[in-house]
Amino acid sequence: RYFGAAVAAGKLGDSVYTGILDREFNSVTAENEMKWDATEPQQNQFNFTNADRIANYAAANGKLLRGHTLLWHSQQPGWAQALSGTALRNAAINHVTRVAGQYRGRIHSWDVVNEAFADGTSGGRRDSNLQRTGNDWIEAAFRAARAADPAAKLCYNDYNTDGINAKSTGIYTMVRDFKARGVPIDCVGLQSHLTNGPPGDYQANLQRFANLGVDVQITELDIPQGSNQAKAYAHVTRACLAAARCNGITAWGARDSGYWPGNGNPLLFDRSGNKKAA
Ligand code: G3I
């Protein structure tokens, strides 16, 4: 199992920050630098400068590297937002192929697709320009990612899926279908932005995904400071340790300062870089 933090390339020059990373974490996720707007600002013109800063930091310091994220409805470059239909589908698959190929062999796990399911009770897909290219866009992305980087674990990642609810069940059904049809998927990421702490069925939800034959990773954990922050972190950690296929926990940042969107003090280290009770 690994224990990780989301990191920002712009903070890697801060020795208090990197001190925490070096000492406490053995995995990092790029908070923004591997997203579509960052890596392909103009169509077919790739820029890996900031993504490389994180990848090189990981390699130089013996950290696993999580890739976040190949396709998402948000943080798309303007040119992609303006596309639709076959042109968008082809651009999206090209993006997956090129970015996963760029980091081939260096990524422990890729969030191939992020946040493609709708909130609420439908259990269905979120409407987006990608979804409107056809319901098979997710499996097309996973197949392209597997071809580009066969060693990386390929993950579907989402939020508000931490307990058993309509949204997590929609994803569960998709993963079961992918496994049955041989679509390459290796893991499910539960973001776990746990505003109200973990739901009572958190562990049962982890376990039901594991039982489908995929790994489960807690990918963006944060829990606002206040009553029971430490207990809630302990609950999440115990749930992961108890599920055989929960192979990693990533907090959505290392310390409270610089946390996006800036408040809540939801991380494990305070603004001065000291360990909190959690
Ligand atoms: O880099 C620009 C900077 O040049 C500019 O001056 C500044 C002014 O607004 O914006 C900076 O960009 C911001 C960027 O973070 C880097 O700090 C964007 O405005 C801001 O929108 C962006 O926010 C990111 C957010 O995703 C966007 O959706 C957060 O950092 C990032 O933590 C957050 O991460 C997401 C995950 O990818 C997916 N799951 C939810 C999670 C947030 O809870």
Side-chain angles (χ1 to χ4, degrees):
R1 287 188 178 89
Y2 67 81
F3 186 55
V7 302
K11 295 182 196 164
L12 290 173
D14 174 340
S15 62
V16 176
Y17 181 75
T18 54
I20 297 171
L21 297 180
D22 292 349
R23 205 174 59 238
E24 309 282 354
F25 297 92
N26 64 353
S27 170
V28 292
T29 303
E31 186 173 350
N32 288 297
E33 293 80 350
M34 291 189 177
K35 292 172 180 174
W36 199 349
D37 60 350
T39 51
E40 195 181 359
Q42 302 299 328
Q43 188 164 15
N44 254 320
Q45 291 177 20
F46 291 83
N47 181 343
F48 295 111
T49 305
N50 286 326
D52 279 348
R53 289 169 72 189
I54 292 175
N56 293 341
Y57 168 81
N61 292 280
K63 316 277 184 218
L64 298 176
L65 179 59
R66 290 195 87 264
H68 174 81
T69 173
L70 292 169
L71 292 180
W72 187 20
H73 65 274
S74 184
Q75 283 181 283
Q76 294 182 2
W79 64 264
Q81 293 176 39
L83 293 181
S84 62
T86 306
L88 175 61
R89 172 67 71 91
N90 290 344
I93 297 304
N94 180 58
H95 179 76
V96 170
T97 300
R98 291 288 299 274
V99 177
Q102 175 77 13
Y103 291 101
R104 180 185 177 105
R106 290 189 277 167
I107 299 280
H108 175 272
S109 301
W110 258 118
D111 292 332
V112 177
V113 171
N114 193 44
E115 301 177 4
F117 276 72
D119 290 315
T121 55
S122 76
R125 300 282 181 87
R126 172 196 295 277
D127 179 51
S128 72
N129 61 344
L130 290 164
Q131 181 61 31
R132 289 191 293 270
T133 70
N135 206 48
D136 63 342
W137 73 276
I138 297 181
E139 62 193 83
F142 275 82
R143 291 187 202 278
R146 179 69 96 225
D149 186 355
K153 286 182 188 285
L154 304 182
C155 306
Y156 176 81
N157 191 50
D158 215 325
Y159 68 91
N160 284 349
T161 51
D162 312 300
I164 295 175
N165 57 37
K167 189 175 179 182
S168 63
T169 298
I171 295 162
Y172 176 88
T173 303
M174 178 187 76
V175 173
R176 191 176 58 191
D177 171 58
F178 280 12
K179 294 298 281 186
R181 290 191 295 114
V183 178
I185 185 166
D186 306 303
C187 82
V188 171
L190 304 179
Q191 293 185 10
S192 300
H193 296 289
L194 295 174
T195 309
N196 302 308
D201 54 7
Y202 191 74
Q203 188 176 324
N205 190 43
L206 285 177
Q207 192 60 54
R208 73 169 174 155
F209 281 106
N211 292 347
L212 290 176
V214 289
D215 291 343
V216 185
Q217 301 181 12
I218 296 165
T219 52
E220 304 185 15
L221 180 61
D222 49 34
I223 305 172
Q225 184 133 12
S227 60
N228 292 327
Q229 185 183 44
K231 274 192 185 160
Y233 266 103
H235 180 145
V236 168
T237 306
R238 274 197 296 269
C240 182
L241 292 173
R245 297 201 64 152
C246 180
N247 60 4
I249 301 178
T250 294
W252 203 239
R255 59 176 180 192
D256 287 334
S257 51
Y259 173 74
W260 182 88
N263 48 27
N265 294 328
L267 298 173
L268 291 164
F269 294 82
D270 70 16
R271 287 164 185 271
S272 307
N274 300 309
K275 287 181 187 184
K276 293 158 65 174

